[in-house]
Amino acid sequence: MELLEGEEELIHSEVDSIFQEFTPERENLIPVLQETQKRLKYLPKLAMQKIAEKIGIPEVDVYSVATFYNQFRLYPPGKNQIKVCMGTACHMMGGHIILESFERRLGIKEGETTPDREFSLERVACVGCCALAPVVVVNDKVEPKVSPIRVDGILLSYEIEKKLEEKEKDAEEEGKSQ
Amino acid sequence: MSVTRSEVAKAYEKLQTQAKKKVESLKEKPLVTVGTATCGRASGALEIFNLFQEEIKKNGLDVNVMEVGCMGHCYAEPLVTIYKPGFPSLCYGSVDEGKAQRLINDYLINDDPCFEFAMAALEPNDFFPTFADYPRGVYEYKIVMELCGLINPEDIDHYIAHDGYAALVKVLNMDPDDVIEEIKNSKLRGRGGAGFPTGIKWELCRKAPGSPKYVICNADEGDPGAFMDRALLESNPHQMLEGLIIAAYAVGASQGYIYVRAEYPLAVTRLQTALDQARSKGLLGDSILGSDFSFDVKIFQGSGAFVCGEETALIASIEGKPGIPSHRPPYPATQGLHGKPTLINNVKTLSYVPHIIRKGAEWFKSIGTPESPGTAVFALAGKVKNTGLAEVPMGTTIRDLIFYVGDGIRDEKKFKAVQIGGPSGGCLPESALDLPIDFDSLQEAGAMMGSGGLVVLDEDDCMVEIARFFLDFTQKESCGKCTFCRLGTKQMLEILTDITKGKGNPEDIDLLWELAEDVKAGSLCGLGKTAPNPVLTTIRYFRDEYEAHVNEGRCPALMCKDLIMYYIIPEKCSKLCDVCIGSCPTEAIYTRPDMLKAIDQEKCVKCNSCLVACPPQYKAVIKISPPRPVEEGEMKQDE
Amino acid sequence: MSKEVKIIIDGKEIKAREGEKLLWVALDNGIYIPHLCAKRDAEKPDASCRLCFVEVEGMPNPVTSCTLPVKDGMVVRTRTPRVDRLVSTAFELLLSNHRLGCGKCPKNRSCELQTIAKERGLKLKLTRLRPLERDLPVDDSPQGFIYDPSRCVLCGQCVWVCHNKVGVGAIGFVRRGIERKMATFGEVPLAESRCTQCGECVEVCPVGALTKKEEDEKQAESA
């Protein structure tokens, strides 16, 4: 994946500042990767290489860890992250149907991001809200008892939000130019 | 030493006096508590909490509002409790904005407690029944969940006021060997799944040479369908923490870890708060309560790998490696984190510890069964009416748990099976309903206590699909190291997938059984060794369902998508209604020339929306398995 | 030196050092036990290939011999119905994920899978299981050798030498579960990684996953 303009500098400065908080030792590898992803939204190759160098381990060891755990993402996510719970209760209450509905509606498969980078779709093992199954987590908000019809509603609310934001932005810019 | 001992007790007394004063002063005024654990939040508890705060401010009321954890009544979230001097403390379930407004106007401003919304009272009174007066209350026995939903999990004083950390004080005045003796004597068994005696594990770790020693709380609750550890951590984090400190004292550890899933952000935050507050009160850190015992705890966030519930994988993960299990022995108790003796206990196991120390091993053994004393915490989910957490004495039958505590099956459906223990557990049929729940009985039946997920399945659930679902999970979560788990579970999944698609062969069922046995016997770690359980139990108890799929291409539960079709019975459909058309996401439903509706099978994605949407007076949409052409009028005689 | 003990393997009395792993004791005494992942010098056994099962008197279930320290008086049997069943399933599982076709493989006649098949009378084809072959691209970027991941059995010999003998650390196991494979950082071709192309990994590969280019060419000519 190509880095965006200024991203390289950002990666350097963020990783450097993360190592102000963590000592460069193997035990801190996972916390460091978590913090890196928190700040950069994903784990760019450059960041992993830099972390390997700081801790003094082969870069492939960092890659092994990054590709082992579900939490880590090697590609930038969408602005809104949709996580469909695939725990037992959610599955029995139709979680897979909900996942399919999102896939159909967004035109992407699980694990992918829409071309405009607005939405990304993932499955999660269980968010521990089994009593409210089927559950979808959008960003950090838990949506309980989702039905295929509510999928449209959920997406719509984020699309409307985006339009409103754009309008506001336009208005602001207009205001500025005046 | 004797000086230090009394110093410890004195230091605690001071803390507790302050804490009690603070907590009692809360109830001098009316107090509103809102359950804001993750399950409550998902139902809008934070909005209700904010509403109470705003309205109370707007109306100038002298009322306290407080966030609490989860009482376990997930089906009734958001849950609000109101304490008002002169009235019984009442719990209100499913509180929405309307009910909240009524409670504010009628109860807080005026004096009408809105009995019509109330679920139960917290203590016996002359006006309203308590939780103990319901069937659920008769079976429940709360130990680790006792304070959940009643105290503020973000304020250590609430825990201390309820004798929190008193067990630690007692322990600091004891010899570590005596502490271990007490736990051994209580016959407490690890609640993480397999039920290994906790005291023996502690003793092994204490006796193992090497230093420093570590204690780890395993809060990597990854079973899909289990959420009791999350609830405990979000509702009463100090209870587990006290247990962890006691464990550290007993085995001689100076550093502890809490390995908690990063997917539980609220639990992580509340744990962090708990650690900070414990440190500031001198209950954690250097020379705890002025004694010569020092111990501190770090939170380690698990990055989402079910296999990290396996002790050796969890350790690898803390060491900064992929969570890949290694061969045992050596066991972590002798060679664990960084090769040092390491004690790993589950959240629930540690949460029992303070109670056992305070009330004694004999008290603990008086609850439950002789071989599995104490209680079990179950996450009831699936097709049961009252979903949520329930704590019952070990030995309670599955029937009592489902039909009394859980209030039976939803929508008047027929019970088919219960899945206990998640991906490592099994599906038990109706004939197993009278089985007492304890470690050994479940294991004998082919299931497992696991971490306590209990999913109720009804006539609409396909047992082959359930087995496929769990195997799909374990297969995805397999670390991929050993041959049996990496490839064996994949082979089994391929066979099961074929069967659910109607492509199975008659010999597949036996092959599946053989493979399941080999994966169980040959895998390296617990994940692989238990992964076949759902398959083995479903074949054992529901072989006829497998055979229907393989031999007839029929899914008896009408669940496997490739083996069913949706059909609108023309005789039941109404010309005046077109709700189904609007509900269909793929425009598969059309209006026939006679104005009745029909489904274009080519376009149908079998999402079930039309069946849900069809008004109850018509019930015209049905599922048919195996799919076949239907003659007009054929379905007339049905019902 | 630890003390000398006597154990019995398949009725034969054998002298060994206490604590030594049974697999090596057996192999050193001419008793064959199938194995792929075991590394004699490794600190901890991998125990991942699940082929070296034996039965030991007094133990309820078959155990992996690579993890079992010998004790005085131990009575071991390398062939029992239970052992044979586990080994044959593990072997067929590995084959189901391995590109078959020995005739075209440069490792033909020196492959460990062939040895196991011969020793244990197992077939080099699938009898019960479905093929789970992975269609992964072959990496022929290094000068002298080729990496064909579809033939890899994930024994970890190459990863171990690269990290522990050579000290380069160019390759490792990446991903998880069925996706697990040996690869470089970012899964780039070996020549683009920090691999020094020392070829040690090729020496230890028991199957045809890492092979010398010259062998490969020879095989192509003869085939």
Side-chain angles (χ1 to χ4, degrees):
Chain A
M1 175 138 310
E2 292 284 313
L3 294 181
L4 302 171
E5 207 187 307
E7 206 173 345
E8 196 176 324
E9 292 73 28
L10 183 72
I11 292 169
H12 280 293
S13 68
E14 288 292 359
V15 174
D16 284 334
S17 99
I18 287 168
F19 276 102
Q20 306 273 311
E21 287 171 39
F22 294 94
T23 49
E25 52 187 336
R26 181 85 196 228
E27 191 175 299
N28 283 334
L29 176 57
I30 291 174
V32 164
L33 289 175
Q34 285 168 336
E35 187 60 28
T36 307
Q37 178 159 301
K38 199 165 144 195
R39 298 194 193 184
L40 301 170
K41 309 287 176 230
Y42 74 111
L43 297 177
K45 267 176 103 170
L46 179 64
M48 288 191 275
Q49 283 168 313
K50 213 173 142 80
I51 290 165
E53 193 189 317
K54 292 255 185 195
I55 296 181
I57 54 175
E59 35 187 54
V60 72
D61 287 2
V62 177
Y63 190 75
S64 291
V65 170
T67 54
F68 185 87
Y69 295 100
N70 293 340
Q71 188 189 13
F72 297 123
R73 229 178 279 118
L74 302 185
Y75 298 101
K79 213 177 99 194
N80 296 302
Q81 291 170 42
I82 300 165
K83 296 178 197 155
V84 184
C85 180
M86 286 286 146
T88 317
C90 290
H91 178 75
M92 296 323 292
M93 305 299 282
H96 53 291
I97 294 175
I98 303 304
L99 181 66
E100 281 170 17
S101 302
F102 274 110
E103 287 181 338
R104 215 171 24 245
R105 184 67 168 62
L106 293 170
I108 53 171
K109 293 268 162 226
E110 150 213 352
E112 294 179 349
T113 302
T114 52
D116 61 0
R117 288 208 192 176
E118 275 299 316
F119 294 99
S120 54
L121 185 61
E122 301 168 35
R123 59 158 72 205
V124 284
C126 180
V127 291
C129 298
C130 309
L132 306 164
V135 163
V136 172
V137 185
V138 186
N139 302 326
D140 278 328
K141 191 171 183 289
V142 180
E143 301 276 356
K145 299 188 178 165
V146 180
S147 63
I149 303 178
R150 269 202 61 210
V151 165
D152 281 349
I154 293 170
L155 289 177
L156 202 63
S157 67
Y158 287 92
E159 277 157 13
I160 290 172
E161 205 171 279
K162 192 194 163 201
K163 276 191 192 133
L164 281 178
E165 262 171 41
E166 275 169 7
K167 247 189 209 164
E168 261 171 45
K169 227 188 203 170
D170 288 348
E172 231 172 73
E173 265 162 31
E174 254 170 52
K176 264 184 214 161
S177 62
Q178 273 169 8
Chain B
M1 264 317 254
S2 59
V3 180
T4 343
R5 281 177 186 177
S6 66
E7 298 271 311
V8 168
K10 248 190 254 165
Y12 178 73
E13 259 165 47
K14 209 173 130 199
L15 286 180
Q16 202 183 27
T17 314
Q18 282 172 354
K20 277 194 171 156
K21 222 166 117 191
K22 181 170 163 188
V23 172
E24 273 157 24
S25 74
L26 259 182
K27 288 186 190 165
E28 284 164 10
K29 305 189 238 180
L31 169 68
V32 177
T33 67
V34 184
T36 59
T38 302
C39 40
R41 287 179 183 206
S43 310
L46 280 182
E47 285 78 5
I48 296 299
F49 179 75
N50 291 336
L51 183 86
F52 271 103
Q53 275 193 318
E54 282 161 24
E55 288 295 315
I56 284 165
K57 208 170 147 196
K58 217 181 352 182
N59 291 297
L61 299 175
D62 192 18
V63 173
N64 288 313
V65 190
M66 180 173 96
E67 286 186 62
V68 294
C70 169
M71 271 194 205
H73 298 270
C74 302
Y75 59 94
E77 295 284 2
L79 208 68
V80 171
T81 307
I82 298 183
Y83 304 80
K84 190 169 175 176
F87 290 89
S89 314
L90 287 169
C91 248
Y92 303 86
S94 310
V95 176
D96 53 17
E97 214 173 295
K99 281 189 196 172
Q101 286 291 4
R102 284 279 307 275
L103 287 170
I104 293 161
N105 292 328
D106 295 358
Y107 190 18
L108 292 178
I109 298 180
N110 296 303
D111 277 336
D112 168 14
C114 303
F115 285 127
E116 63 271 33
F117 303 148
M119 263 174 81
L122 290 183
E123 62 275 328
N125 63 84
D126 297 335
F127 305 97
F128 209 80
T130 64
F131 281 115
D133 297 323
Y134 293 96
R136 180 181 176 126
V138 174
Y139 289 94
E140 276 201 301
Y141 189 116
K142 291 192 175 188
I143 299 175
V144 293
M145 285 185 59
E146 193 187 351
L147 295 177
C148 293
L150 300 179
I151 61 168
N152 181 350
E154 296 187 17
D155 188 344
I156 191 172
D157 282 333
H158 284 237
Y159 183 62
I160 294 177
H162 290 90
D163 289 334
Y165 291 102
L168 175 63
V169 173
K170 192 170 168 189
V171 159
L172 290 174
N173 289 324
M174 281 165 81
D175 189 82
D177 288 319
D178 295 337
V179 178
I180 290 176
E181 206 46 50
E182 187 75 16
I183 298 297
K184 264 171 78 179
N185 196 9
S186 77
K187 287 188 149 181
L188 172 66
R189 295 172 69 171
R191 259 46 176 183
F196 190 80
T198 305
I200 294 179
K201 208 174 187 180
W202 286 24
E203 189 172 43
L204 282 173
C205 187
R206 170 154 187 88
K207 287 191 174 153
S211 107
K213 288 179 184 173
Y214 300 99
V215 289
I216 300 174
C217 168
N218 185 351
D220 189 44
E221 182 175 60
D223 279 22
F227 52 94
M228 55 292 278
D229 290 355
R230 173 182 64 69
L232 284 176
L233 295 176
E234 288 178 354
S235 308
N236 191 0
H238 287 286
Q239 178 177 249
M240 178 281 291
L241 184 58
E242 187 181 5
L244 187 67
I245 303 171
I246 292 171
Y249 178 80
V251 303
S254 53
Q255 178 66 52
Y257 290 85
I258 301 169
Y259 190 101
V260 57
R261 290 176 78 197
E263 287 98 324
Y264 286 174
L266 184 64
V268 173
T269 318
R270 287 192 171 164
L271 277 171
Q272 195 61 59
T273 310
L275 292 183
D276 292 343
Q277 292 181 350
R279 275 189 209 108
S280 73
K281 299 264 181 197
L283 294 160
L284 193 64
D286 288 336
S287 48
I288 289 175
L289 287 173
S291 71
D292 49 10
F293 172 58
S294 300
F295 173 70
D296 212 333
V297 177
K298 266 192 212 171
I299 294 175
F300 189 94
Q301 292 189 43
S303 303
F306 175 67
V307 65
C308 287
E310 176 80 18
E311 295 187 343
T312 51
L314 184 150
I315 287 171
S317 181
I318 295 184
E319 287 173 347
K321 299 174 198 157
I324 292 175
S326 37
H327 180 82
R328 298 186 303 177
Y331 288 92
T334 52
Q335 267 182 60
L337 187 61
H338 306 303
K340 303 294 180 194
T342 304
L343 174 76
I344 305 180
N345 277 147
N346 166 273
V347 176
K348 289 181 289 295
T349 315
L350 290 170
S351 295
Y352 284 106
V353 167
H355 298 274
I356 294 172
I357 297 293
R358 269 209 319 265
K359 299 176 201 158
E362 292 308 319
W363 161 81
F364 190 69
K365 276 193 287 191
S366 71
I367 306 155
T369 66
E371 291 313 309
S372 303
T375 55
V377 184
F378 280 103
L380 286 176
K383 306 291 175 67
V384 65
K385 272 187 205 152
N386 290 354
T387 50
L389 291 180
E391 185 172 1
V392 294
M394 290 273 188
T396 305
T397 64
I398 303 176
R399 185 187 301 278
D400 290 341
L401 191 59
I402 296 173
F403 289 93
Y404 293 102
V405 178
D407 202 20
I409 313 298
R410 241 186 249 181
D411 303 329
E412 310 300 318
K413 295 274 183 181
K414 200 169 161 302
F415 170 88
K416 185 191 266 182
V418 55
Q419 209 286 340
I420 302 187
S424 320
C427 288
L428 302 179
E430 199 167 0
S431 62
L433 274 178
D434 291 309
L435 212 62
I437 297 171
D438 64 64
F439 290 103
D440 310 305
S441 311
L442 288 181
Q443 200 126 21
E444 252 166 61
M448 199 179 155
M449 192 75 109
S451 64
L454 196 147
V455 183
V456 178
L457 308 172
D458 69 13
E459 54 191 296
D460 295 338
D461 295 320
C462 169
M463 303 314 288
V464 186
E465 168 55 24
I466 271 287
R468 195 204 60 78
F469 166 76
F470 280 111
L471 211 68
D472 181 55
F473 176 83
T474 30
Q475 190 272 130
K476 283 201 175 77
E477 292 295 333
S478 163
C479 80
K481 178 182 180 180
C482 91
T483 306
F484 280 104
C485 186
R486 180 180 74 246
L487 300 168
T489 57
K490 179 73 180 169
Q491 287 285 354
M492 287 166 67
L493 179 64
E494 296 277 309
I495 298 172
L496 281 166
T497 308
D498 279 354
I499 294 177
T500 56
K501 286 184 188 295
K503 293 183 205 152
N505 301 312
E507 61 273 17
D508 278 348
I509 304 174
D510 291 328
L511 175 57
L512 194 57
W513 181 271
E514 275 170 37
L515 269 174
E517 285 186 328
D518 289 348
V519 171
K520 200 176 164 99
S523 289
L524 170 67
C525 83
L527 186 144
K529 281 184 201 295
T530 56
N533 285 347
V535 177
L536 288 167
T537 48
T538 47
I539 299 183
R540 181 166 151 193
Y541 298 117
F542 301 95
R543 199 181 170 106
D544 54 330
E545 285 198 33
Y546 279 84
E547 283 165 353
H549 282 75
V550 171
N551 300 335
E552 303 166 44
R554 178 172 66 90
C555 175
L558 302 172
M559 190 182 186
C560 294
K561 269 177 137 189
D562 292 282
L563 302 184
I564 57 164
M565 63 176 242
Y566 283 80
Y567 179 72
I568 299 175
I569 304 172
E571 292 79 8
K572 290 191 178 177
C573 181
S574 163
K575 292 177 182 178
L576 305 171
C577 162
D578 53 7
V579 178
C580 55
I581 294 183
S583 77
C584 179
T586 58
E587 294 176 12
I589 302 179
Y590 60 92
T591 310
R592 309 195 318 187
D594 60 4
M595 300 306 282
L596 299 177
K597 318 299 169 292
I599 299 172
D600 179 348
Q601 298 296 335
E602 294 293 308
K603 285 189 189 164
C604 175
V605 293
K606 301 172 186 173
C607 73
N608 207 45
S609 295
C610 52
L611 195 145
V612 175
C614 185
Q617 65 266 41
Y618 305 130
K619 277 195 193 160
V621 185
I622 57 161
K623 295 190 270 189
I624 298 174
S625 176
R628 59 185 168 88
V630 183
E631 299 274 327
E632 186 95 34
E634 192 186 328
M635 293 290 162
K636 216 173 181 175
Q637 66 277 24
D638 285 11
E639 278 185 49
Chain C
M1 270 307 250
S2 51
K3 81 172 195 214
E4 197 180 87
V5 294
K6 276 186 201 155
I7 63 168
I8 294 168
I9 307 180
D10 295 340
K12 194 171 144 192
E13 193 177 285
I14 285 166
K15 281 182 199 150
R17 294 272 151 207
E18 184 168 42
E20 215 181 332
K21 298 294 190 289
L22 179 67
L23 174 67
W24 306 113
V25 175
L27 293 174
D28 291 346
N29 285 280
I31 296 166
Y32 183 77
I33 295 174
H35 62 102
L36 288 169
C37 70
K39 298 146 198 102
R40 206 181 270 260
D41 303 333
E43 196 191 326
K44 262 167 82 184
D46 244 16
S48 66
C49 72
R50 316 308 286 171
L51 288 167
C52 68
F53 281 105
V54 296
E55 277 203 71
V56 178
E57 240 170 57
M59 292 191 183
N61 297 311
V63 283
T64 45
S65 57
C66 67
T67 56
L68 191 70
V70 298
K71 265 195 238 154
D72 198 29
M74 209 175 231
V75 180
V76 180
R77 285 187 298 159
T78 64
R79 299 293 299 270
T80 68
R82 286 208 288 172
V83 165
D84 285 358
R85 176 170 164 183
L86 283 177
V87 173
S88 93
T89 301
F91 186 72
E92 195 176 343
L93 283 170
L94 286 170
L95 287 190
S96 73
N97 195 36
H98 174 82
R99 186 192 297 159
L100 293 166
C102 300
K104 284 187 216 141
C105 178
K107 245 338 202 304
N108 194 9
R109 281 193 274 277
S110 62
C111 170
E112 198 61 32
L113 290 172
Q114 290 176 325
T115 312
I116 296 167
K118 201 174 129 215
E119 288 282 344
R120 289 289 161 105
L122 299 168
K123 291 201 170 70
L124 276 162
K125 62 173 195 193
L126 298 180
T127 56
R128 300 179 293 161
L129 305 181
R130 289 157 165 73
L132 300 175
E133 224 177 282
R134 295 166 294 177
D135 203 15
L136 300 168
V138 174
D139 180 4
D140 60 357
S141 66
Q143 291 254 299
F145 60 94
I146 287 172
Y147 168 45
D148 181 353
S150 306
R151 290 204 183 108
C152 176
V153 290
L154 276 73
C155 68
Q157 299 286 355
C158 53
V159 173
W160 196 77
V161 288
C162 185
H163 283 253
N164 298 287
K165 283 274 155 99
V166 190
V168 172
I171 51 173
F173 281 120
V174 305
R175 302 186 182 271
R176 190 172 83 191
I178 196 79
E179 305 286 329
R180 178 171 157 100
K181 61 174 181 177
M182 183 277 266
T184 59
F185 176 76
E187 294 166 61
V188 297
L190 283 155
E192 292 167 32
S193 74
R194 62 196 269 172
C195 169
T196 58
Q197 305 192 12
C198 69
E200 288 296 322
C201 55
V202 184
E203 296 300 323
V204 294
C205 180
V207 297
L210 285 159
T211 49
K212 288 183 186 141
K213 276 191 178 162
E214 48 197 84
E215 306 266 331
D216 207 48
E217 278 151 22
K218 240 190 270 168
Q219 192 66 33
E221 274 164 34
S222 67

